[in-house]
Amino acid sequence: MPVQNNLIGGTWLGSSDTLLSINPSDTNDVVGEFAVASATQVRDAIAAARAALPTWAATTTQMRSDLLHNIGSELLARKEELGDLLAREEGKTRAEAMGEVTRAAQIFRFFAGETVRYGGEKLPSVRPGIEVQNTRHPVGVVGIITPWNFPIAIPAWKIAPALAFGNTVVFKPSERTPALGWALADIIARTAAPKGVFNLVMGAGPVGDAILDGVDAVSFTGSVATGRHVARRAVERMIPVQAEMGGKNPLVVLDDADLTTAVNCAVDGAFFQTGQRCTASSRLIVCEGIHDRFVDAVSERIRALVIDHALKAGTQCGPVVDQRQLDQDLRYIDIGKREGATPKVLGELLTRDTPGFYLSPTLFVDTTNDMRINREEIFGPVASVIRVKDYDEALSVANDTEFGLSAGICTTSMKHARHFQTNVQSGLAMINLPTAGLDYHVPFGGTKASSYGPREQGRYAVEFYTISKTSYIEI
Ligand code: ADP
């Protein structure tokens, strides 16, 4: 199997160091071997992006729009093949993986449109004989650092707007899912992006750190600890930064909720995609009148979930992404037990036809919001139920967290739904819907420790990927 290289200034370059990507559904299956960019190669990538910037920023919006449209078309045309690769590398099911590739294509198509749509404004001056113009300009060389759990959709929602608005890019995918990052880079390189406009550097934290040294802006998604580090480094250099980090997302279930809706929201939000979504519902805050019925129904549903090889027909949840994440999930299950939570359904390591990181769901009950399992992000198929008296207590528990990404409520009361929508401290509010599951044309992001910097996605992306200039012109 040939080593897949980094893309630097339009040339695919190898290095002395490589990393392996392993299929979490079958650890005997090596997905690929990838070159780890050296510090010099990262510097070269940034220099190439800088050299390409003036020409790229001056291209017509039609040219950039066509390029993004073509990237979207190739992603759509290859969604089955790339979906299989994604499921094989990351472990989400084939259906989830194909959905993600389709989403990446839709994002490129959306920004193909935005490229010709965005603009500035002309304003009257408060003084006579003067015209004021506000125009938008590329921010420059953008560093893009992404995680493993959406290995093509998250890169897409950062790379597409970066290129749309005339920036050049140095992109580092997660070292845990380089195959999808590489596949996307290959498509962009072949879609006639001029040399240096888009660069790929693969590897772990040190490669990300090297990116922070030279770029003009950085967009990051990943853990809180790394996000804080990235934001600190960016502020030191006084460059714009956008960091999307974790969540400890509440799903509130009131006594008047439709039980089927509430159970569907909890099972989907907490356990689909193996719980490995930053918008996953990890705290199920349930009023006492519906508590027992809800817990019984959720337990029954999750005991029946089919957990198996991501590419096997009928699989509903794939494996955990790797040994490190599995260890973390098991550690938190143990912490929950030691903290006094009752495992109503206890996750177990499962044996399947192929060796993989198979873990069944865990549902803790009798938990309190101060337990570590309710304060720290686990990022696996583990959720806790917190029993509350009424809506007021539910809202107060929902907001008692360091995070604020997504929050949901299941209720048939318009009054409580509207109050929750306004008063829950999160960037996303879901009414009778799972906390995960988003559109691509509207802003995405959270409050508190979940997000830092301007919102991503949709028309709002222009705020981060451009700089506004105000001109005064004598007329
Ligand atoms: P996760 O645990 O989900 O992998 P991380 O925050 O560790 O989350 O990783 C998210 C992304 O940040 C990955 O691409 C990773 O390689 C990168 N990264 C890790 N450490 C650093 C660092 N010190 N500087 C920049 N990027 C980093």
Side-chain angles (χ1 to χ4, degrees):
M1 194 188 310
V3 175
Q4 290 177 301
N5 291 332
N6 293 296
L7 179 64
I8 297 165
T11 307
W12 293 99
L13 293 176
S15 78
S16 53
D17 189 13
T18 63
L19 62 88
L20 291 181
S21 170
I22 305 290
N23 179 350
S25 301
D26 178 0
T27 53
N28 293 323
D29 177 28
V30 178
V31 179
E33 184 173 4
F34 299 85
V36 173
S38 67
T40 309
Q41 286 177 328
V42 177
R43 272 200 298 278
D44 290 348
I46 295 169
R50 194 164 298 295
L53 186 59
T55 310
W56 180 243
T59 49
T60 62
T61 53
Q62 186 63 54
M63 183 186 162
R64 300 204 298 270
S65 175
D66 289 345
L67 185 126
L68 294 179
H69 189 87
N70 293 342
I71 295 168
S73 299
E74 181 164 346
L75 286 169
L76 268 188
R78 294 175 55 197
K79 71 170 189 237
E80 300 205 354
E81 169 216 336
L82 291 171
D84 278 3
L85 180 64
L86 202 165
R88 190 171 152 224
E89 178 169 63
E90 195 268 356
K92 65 183 67 170
T93 64
R94 179 181 264 139
E96 288 168 335
M98 264 202 293
E100 187 183 334
V101 176
T102 305
R103 171 55 57 97
Q106 289 161 337
I107 291 166
F108 275 98
R109 292 272 176 92
F110 175 84
F111 283 104
E114 285 303 283
T115 310
V116 290
R117 219 175 286 132
Y118 84 109
E121 53 183 351
K122 193 172 111 184
L123 299 152
S125 169
V126 292
R127 293 172 285 161
I130 294 175
E131 178 185 300
V132 181
Q133 287 179 8
N134 181 25
T135 47
R136 290 193 175 275
H137 304 267
V139 65
V141 177
V142 181
I144 291 177
I145 300 174
T146 57
W148 52 266
N149 65 328
F150 286 96
I152 195 154
I154 294 177
W157 80 52
K158 296 176 190 292
I159 293 166
L163 296 178
F165 305 128
N167 303 284
T168 56
V169 169
V170 177
F171 164 51
K172 191 195 90 60
S174 169
E175 64 278 20
R176 292 150 96 173
T177 49
L180 267 293
W182 190 92
L184 182 58
D186 172 55
I187 293 173
I188 297 173
R190 282 187 297 94
T191 320
K195 282 185 192 329
V197 167
F198 177 84
N199 302 272
L200 171 77
V201 287
M202 295 178 288
V207 177
D209 245 336
I211 290 177
L212 299 174
D213 283 335
V215 294
D216 301 320
V218 60
S219 182
F220 165 88
T221 301
S223 63
V224 176
T226 309
R228 280 189 206 283
H229 167 79
V230 168
R232 218 177 281 124
R233 293 282 319 276
V235 169
E236 260 165 31
R237 292 193 49 236
M238 296 206 160
I239 60 169
V241 54
Q242 177 179 60
E244 290 297 338
M245 296 157 288
K248 200 67 207 173
N249 308 295
L251 176 71
V252 168
V253 180
L254 300 189
D255 284 339
D256 63 14
D258 175 71
L259 184 64
T260 308
T261 302
V263 171
N264 287 342
C265 288
V267 173
D268 176 329
F271 299 104
F272 282 11
Q273 217 188 294
T274 319
Q276 298 177 148
R277 296 184 284 194
C278 51
T279 49
S281 325
S282 47
R283 294 184 300 142
L284 308 172
I285 302 168
V286 185
C287 285
E288 51 198 14
I290 197 170
H291 177 276
D292 293 356
R293 281 178 295 143
F294 173 83
V295 166
D296 287 345
V298 171
S299 304
E300 194 182 324
R301 282 277 304 280
I302 63 177
R303 283 197 188 102
L305 284 176
V306 179
I307 295 145
D308 209 326
H309 196 298
L311 288 167
K312 199 163 173 178
T315 296
Q316 290 174 295
C317 293
V320 171
V321 69
D322 62 9
Q323 186 67 52
R324 180 154 65 107
Q325 182 61 49
L326 181 65
D327 290 345
Q328 175 165 315
D329 296 347
L330 294 173
R331 196 167 64 247
Y332 273 107
I333 292 171
D334 194 47
I335 289 171
K337 285 196 284 191
R338 280 193 281 113
E339 284 180 309
T342 308
K344 172 85 180 169
V345 180
L346 181 59
E348 290 167 2
L349 292 175
L350 303 173
T351 307
R352 294 292 179 254
D353 293 345
T354 46
F357 307 111
Y358 299 107
L359 177 65
S360 63
T362 297
L363 184 69
F364 280 119
V365 296
D366 305 326
T367 78
T368 56
N369 199 43
D370 56 358
M371 291 177 175
R372 280 183 66 195
I373 52 166
N374 285 327
R375 303 217 76 86
E376 298 167 22
E377 190 174 47
I378 302 172
F379 223 66
V382 183
S384 321
V385 177
I386 304 169
R387 186 198 295 254
V388 291
K389 213 168 52 265
D390 55 15
Y391 170 73
D392 290 339
E393 188 184 353
L395 178 66
S396 140
V397 170
N399 283 337
D400 178 11
T401 171
E402 154 187 27
F403 296 106
L405 187 53
S406 185
I409 187 166
C410 292
T411 178
T412 49
S413 151
M414 174 79 98
K415 178 176 147 223
H416 286 136
R418 295 305 296 263
H419 187 272
F420 184 82
Q421 183 190 358
T422 307
N423 293 288
V424 74
Q425 295 162 359
S426 62
L428 305 162
M430 306 294 189
I431 315 296
N432 291 319
L433 286 168
T435 54
L438 307 166
D439 285 4
Y440 60 83
H441 66 301
V442 287
F444 169 73
T447 59
K448 304 196 249 182
S450 290
S451 298
Y452 185 74
R455 288 281 184 262
E456 301 199 79
Q457 300 205 52
R459 277 186 290 127
Y460 285 72
V462 78
E463 294 301 328
F464 179 73
Y465 289 99
T466 62
I467 291 179
S468 125
K469 178 182 280 178
T470 311
S471 307
Y472 295 81
I473 302 157
E474 187 185 45
I475 47 176

